[in-house]
Amino acid sequence: MMKSLRIAGVAGALLLSACVTAPVEVAETDPADLILTNARVYTLAWGDPDGEGNPAADAPFDGSNWRPDAEAVAIDDSAIVFAGSAQEVLAWQGAATRIVDLRGATVLPGLVDTHTHVVEFGAKLDVVDLTDVATEAEAVALVADRAKMLPAGEWIIGAGWDEGAWANAYPDKALLSAAVPDHPVVMRSLHGFGLWANQEALDAAGITAESAVPEGGEMRLSDDGAPSGLFLNRATTMLDKAIPTASLETRMRQTRKGLMQMARDGYVTVHEAGADTHAMETFAALEASDDLPIRVYAMLSLRDEPLMRRWIARGPDSDTDSMLVTRSVKAYYDGALGSRGARLLEDYADRPGHRGVSGSGYGFDRELNEAAMKAGFQTGIHAIGDAGNREALDILERVFAETPGARDNRHRIEHAQVIAPEDMGRFAELGVIASMEPPHAVEDKTWAEDRLGADRVRGAYAWRTLLRNGARMTFNADNPGSDHSIFYGLHAAVTRRDKDLKPAGGWYPEEAVTIEEAIRAYTSWSAYAGFREEETGIIAPGRWADITVMDIDPFTLARSDPAKLLDGEIVMTIVDGRIVYER
């Protein structure tokens, strides 16, 4: 029997003919709204791999090669109703069903980025982008060009200069002030642990050599004793109050722009790491206007005490299926490794006598964090150094002893970047999730060993060691600090090589993960980190229709030609049964 069907392929809507070789029974339930067919579907509906990355016995893996375990998916309303063969899926076809011929594209459970700063990312799309700028002079030239387009006195914001790569030659205000004398300029670093300003911005903020510097921060001074314009770690907050707050309408526009970019890049959910009052207002306004294109899991900023007190009194959201869910807290415990703010057990290898900052010295409010945990919130503690990680684990362990029920809230260490050997097993013992960034390993490799030395660096970005010790893990990009492309993330995770395919053989390749582990760390394991493993993370009937479609098969490429992972593109992103992006 020949039927003419209107089928939308990966390049848009096309009128094709579909051959049905045998009669298909009509579904007893309502027909599906959407059918994806002719696809390579990996449902992940099989057991997890073991600590060495060996696939489970029921995985679609023959010992050498992976194979898809389905070729079609049917979606009705906001749920998956079928995953299986292209023949059987036609039982879900109705007169109004849209059928998408994916022509061999790969279908995965929807991607989740569990540590992002999408408000900042959206705003960055409007500011001077300094990502990958190599020198101070290049950065200043970009700002000067922007100044020509703006009236005198308007603030100019830049973001993206690399505080790790520039650590031995930090910029100051001199060149920037000379080139842009009529605009306050503030330029945030790639990971947010450095800030560079001109004299006009210092004047607007009233900052002088006598200004109080927050604990755990450093305000550099020039030879004349005046502020140089360079602020590190907690000192970056000194200019925040002087920068005009964008209107709610502007923030909504910027944030939605950031969320839509994440959708275009295949993500169905982001965990916003450190949402302050303004961010929460923005998310709430977008939700109220039904304008959140993807799901937002909000991690409240522990640094915003008034916001925290309100939420502690109210308690965390109890639902999981709203587009905006708030049940987590982001807390900074130590600084960054690149700017030498991460707290280490022993001196920095490239700065004797210095061990970084942590705890109250970095603005961490222990009482507020414990109050949030005891009120039922998940906490995600930013910890980079080996001392920072040990102390963060100690804090969690003490709260668990006082309030055993708090242990159930799936607390996280954000970054878990450098860990002493004796602390590797504590993540599993305490049920703490390691929330980590594959891009950080391949981006930091040029200077991380300088900071840590040859022995201690072996406990850094140690994905395999943590998994071998039974830790739960989730992957993300700390966007906009790193490129959040899933293809870059997967490539970094399985090869330990950068975009230039360096170094040959990978950087400490023994800590690499398998492609299955990497994909799970962006899907099913990330679902667990957000308390959603019963609703999403695998493709199966009854699960949310949150799906990512890409034009490469990462399971096969990771084994045959991993460099080609970097060439992948997103074909379609489906959230709550709605196609929010289609190539």
PDB file of all heavy atoms in Angstrom, residues 269-284:
ATOM      1  N   THR A 269      17.555  21.507  28.832  1.00  0.00           N
ATOM      2  CA  THR A 269      17.531  22.034  30.197  1.00  0.00           C
ATOM      3  C   THR A 269      18.883  22.632  30.524  1.00  0.00           C
ATOM      4  O   THR A 269      19.926  22.113  30.104  1.00  0.00           O
ATOM      5  CB  THR A 269      17.247  20.905  31.224  1.00  0.00           C
ATOM      6  OG1 THR A 269      16.003  20.288  30.935  1.00  0.00           O
ATOM      7  CG2 THR A 269      17.209  21.450  32.653  1.00  0.00           C
ATOM      8  N   VAL A 270      18.857  23.728  31.287  1.00  0.00           N
ATOM      9  CA  VAL A 270      20.083  24.270  31.865  1.00  0.00           C
ATOM     10  C   VAL A 270      19.900  24.392  33.370  1.00  0.00           C
ATOM     11  O   VAL A 270      18.799  24.679  33.848  1.00  0.00           O
ATOM     12  CB  VAL A 270      20.474  25.640  31.277  1.00  0.00           C
ATOM     13  CG1 VAL A 270      20.877  25.511  29.820  1.00  0.00           C
ATOM     14  CG2 VAL A 270      19.359  26.670  31.438  1.00  0.00           C
ATOM     15  N   HIS A 271      20.967  24.137  34.115  1.00  0.00           N
ATOM     16  CA  HIS A 271      21.003  24.420  35.542  1.00  0.00           C
ATOM     17  C   HIS A 271      21.738  25.750  35.699  1.00  0.00           C
ATOM     18  O   HIS A 271      22.937  25.839  35.417  1.00  0.00           O
ATOM     19  CB  HIS A 271      21.753  23.321  36.294  1.00  0.00           C
ATOM     20  CG  HIS A 271      21.041  22.008  36.322  1.00  0.00           C
ATOM     21  ND1 HIS A 271      21.297  21.033  37.266  1.00  0.00           N
ATOM     22  CD2 HIS A 271      20.056  21.484  35.514  1.00  0.00           C
ATOM     23  CE1 HIS A 271      20.532  19.985  37.042  1.00  0.00           C
ATOM     24  NE2 HIS A 271      19.776  20.235  35.978  1.00  0.00           N
ATOM     25  N   GLU A 272      21.002  26.784  36.099  1.00  0.00           N
ATOM     26  CA  GLU A 272      21.584  28.117  36.242  1.00  0.00           C
ATOM     27  C   GLU A 272      22.324  28.195  37.563  1.00  0.00           C
ATOM     28  O   GLU A 272      21.720  28.192  38.640  1.00  0.00           O
ATOM     29  CB  GLU A 272      20.495  29.186  36.160  1.00  0.00           C
ATOM     30  CG  GLU A 272      20.987  30.610  36.356  1.00  0.00           C
ATOM     31  CD  GLU A 272      21.808  31.144  35.179  1.00  0.00           C
ATOM     32  OE1 GLU A 272      22.082  30.380  34.234  1.00  0.00           O
ATOM     33  OE2 GLU A 272      22.145  32.343  35.201  1.00  0.00           O
ATOM     34  N   ALA A 273      23.647  28.284  37.501  1.00  0.00           N
ATOM     35  CA  ALA A 273      24.494  28.168  38.688  1.00  0.00           C
ATOM     36  C   ALA A 273      24.754  29.533  39.321  1.00  0.00           C
ATOM     37  O   ALA A 273      25.698  30.227  38.980  1.00  0.00           O
ATOM     38  CB  ALA A 273      25.816  27.491  38.325  1.00  0.00           C
ATOM     39  N   GLY A 274      23.885  29.913  40.252  1.00  0.00           N
ATOM     40  CA  GLY A 274      24.087  31.150  40.982  1.00  0.00           C
ATOM     41  C   GLY A 274      23.130  32.247  40.569  1.00  0.00           C
ATOM     42  O   GLY A 274      23.542  33.370  40.253  1.00  0.00           O
ATOM     43  N   ALA A 275      21.842  31.969  40.590  1.00  0.00           N
ATOM     44  CA  ALA A 275      20.828  32.949  40.198  1.00  0.00           C
ATOM     45  C   ALA A 275      20.570  33.918  41.347  1.00  0.00           C
ATOM     46  O   ALA A 275      20.155  33.513  42.425  1.00  0.00           O
ATOM     47  CB  ALA A 275      19.538  32.246  39.799  1.00  0.00           C
ATOM     48  N   ASP A 276      20.814  35.213  41.105  1.00  0.00           N
ATOM     49  CA  ASP A 276      20.551  36.218  42.127  1.00  0.00           C
ATOM     50  C   ASP A 276      19.135  36.767  41.955  1.00  0.00           C
ATOM     51  O   ASP A 276      18.343  36.255  41.149  1.00  0.00           O
ATOM     52  CB  ASP A 276      21.602  37.329  42.068  1.00  0.00           C
ATOM     53  CG  ASP A 276      21.596  38.105  40.753  1.00  0.00           C
ATOM     54  OD1 ASP A 276      20.676  37.927  39.921  1.00  0.00           O
ATOM     55  OD2 ASP A 276      22.531  38.910  40.553  1.00  0.00           O
ATOM     56  N   THR A 277      18.815  37.796  42.725  1.00  0.00           N
ATOM     57  CA  THR A 277      17.457  38.356  42.699  1.00  0.00           C
ATOM     58  C   THR A 277      17.037  38.772  41.298  1.00  0.00           C
ATOM     59  O   THR A 277      15.930  38.471  40.843  1.00  0.00           O
ATOM     60  CB  THR A 277      17.360  39.552  43.664  1.00  0.00           C
ATOM     61  OG1 THR A 277      17.569  39.083  45.000  1.00  0.00           O
ATOM     62  CG2 THR A 277      15.999  40.222  43.575  1.00  0.00           C
ATOM     63  N   HIS A 278      17.929  39.474  40.583  1.00  0.00           N
ATOM     64  CA  HIS A 278      17.584  39.930  39.235  1.00  0.00           C
ATOM     65  C   HIS A 278      17.374  38.757  38.287  1.00  0.00           C
ATOM     66  O   HIS A 278      16.452  38.765  37.460  1.00  0.00           O
ATOM     67  CB  HIS A 278      18.671  40.856  38.690  1.00  0.00           C
ATOM     68  CG  HIS A 278      18.683  42.204  39.340  1.00  0.00           C
ATOM     69  ND1 HIS A 278      19.845  42.849  39.707  1.00  0.00           N
ATOM     70  CD2 HIS A 278      17.675  43.033  39.710  1.00  0.00           C
ATOM     71  CE1 HIS A 278      19.552  44.013  40.257  1.00  0.00           C
ATOM     72  NE2 HIS A 278      18.243  44.138  40.273  1.00  0.00           N
ATOM     73  N   ALA A 279      18.220  37.737  38.405  1.00  0.00           N
ATOM     74  CA  ALA A 279      18.064  36.567  37.540  1.00  0.00           C
ATOM     75  C   ALA A 279      16.745  35.858  37.816  1.00  0.00           C
ATOM     76  O   ALA A 279      16.033  35.455  36.879  1.00  0.00           O
ATOM     77  CB  ALA A 279      19.230  35.610  37.739  1.00  0.00           C
ATOM     78  N   MET A 280      16.403  35.706  39.100  1.00  0.00           N
ATOM     79  CA  MET A 280      15.154  35.033  39.432  1.00  0.00           C
ATOM     80  C   MET A 280      13.948  35.830  38.955  1.00  0.00           C
ATOM     81  O   MET A 280      12.946  35.253  38.498  1.00  0.00           O
ATOM     82  CB  MET A 280      15.086  34.765  40.929  1.00  0.00           C
ATOM     83  CG  MET A 280      16.093  33.732  41.428  1.00  0.00           C
ATOM     84  SD  MET A 280      15.970  32.119  40.594  1.00  0.00           S
ATOM     85  CE  MET A 280      14.334  31.587  41.109  1.00  0.00           C
ATOM     86  N   GLU A 281      14.015  37.150  39.062  1.00  0.00           N
ATOM     87  CA  GLU A 281      12.937  37.988  38.520  1.00  0.00           C
ATOM     88  C   GLU A 281      12.790  37.755  37.024  1.00  0.00           C
ATOM     89  O   GLU A 281      11.674  37.668  36.496  1.00  0.00           O
ATOM     90  CB  GLU A 281      13.240  39.463  38.777  1.00  0.00           C
ATOM     91  CG  GLU A 281      13.079  39.915  40.213  1.00  0.00           C
ATOM     92  CD  GLU A 281      13.508  41.360  40.415  1.00  0.00           C
ATOM     93  OE1 GLU A 281      14.097  41.957  39.486  1.00  0.00           O
ATOM     94  OE2 GLU A 281      13.260  41.886  41.512  1.00  0.00           O
ATOM     95  N   THR A 282      13.919  37.651  36.339  1.00  0.00           N
ATOM     96  CA  THR A 282      13.906  37.471  34.886  1.00  0.00           C
ATOM     97  C   THR A 282      13.301  36.123  34.516  1.00  0.00           C
ATOM     98  O   THR A 282      12.426  36.036  33.648  1.00  0.00           O
ATOM     99  CB  THR A 282      15.329  37.583  34.333  1.00  0.00           C
ATOM    100  OG1 THR A 282      15.901  38.838  34.733  1.00  0.00           O
ATOM    101  CG2 THR A 282      15.329  37.486  32.813  1.00  0.00           C
ATOM    102  N   PHE A 283      13.755  35.061  35.174  1.00  0.00           N
ATOM    103  CA  PHE A 283      13.223  33.735  34.881  1.00  0.00           C
ATOM    104  C   PHE A 283      11.732  33.662  35.181  1.00  0.00           C
ATOM    105  O   PHE A 283      10.955  33.080  34.409  1.00  0.00           O
ATOM    106  CB  PHE A 283      13.966  32.666  35.689  1.00  0.00           C
ATOM    107  CG  PHE A 283      15.368  32.409  35.229  1.00  0.00           C
ATOM    108  CD1 PHE A 283      16.409  32.349  36.143  1.00  0.00           C
ATOM    109  CD2 PHE A 283      15.657  32.218  33.880  1.00  0.00           C
ATOM    110  CE1 PHE A 283      17.708  32.097  35.730  1.00  0.00           C
ATOM    111  CE2 PHE A 283      16.953  31.974  33.462  1.00  0.00           C
ATOM    112  CZ  PHE A 283      17.985  31.911  34.386  1.00  0.00           C
ATOM    113  N   ALA A 284      11.316  34.241  36.311  1.00  0.00           N
ATOM    114  CA  ALA A 284       9.904  34.205  36.688  1.00  0.00           C
ATOM    115  C   ALA A 284       9.047  34.946  35.664  1.00  0.00           C
ATOM    116  O   ALA A 284       7.943  34.495  35.319  1.00  0.00           O
ATOM    117  CB  ALA A 284       9.716  34.798  38.077  1.00  0.00           C
TER     118      ALA A 284
END
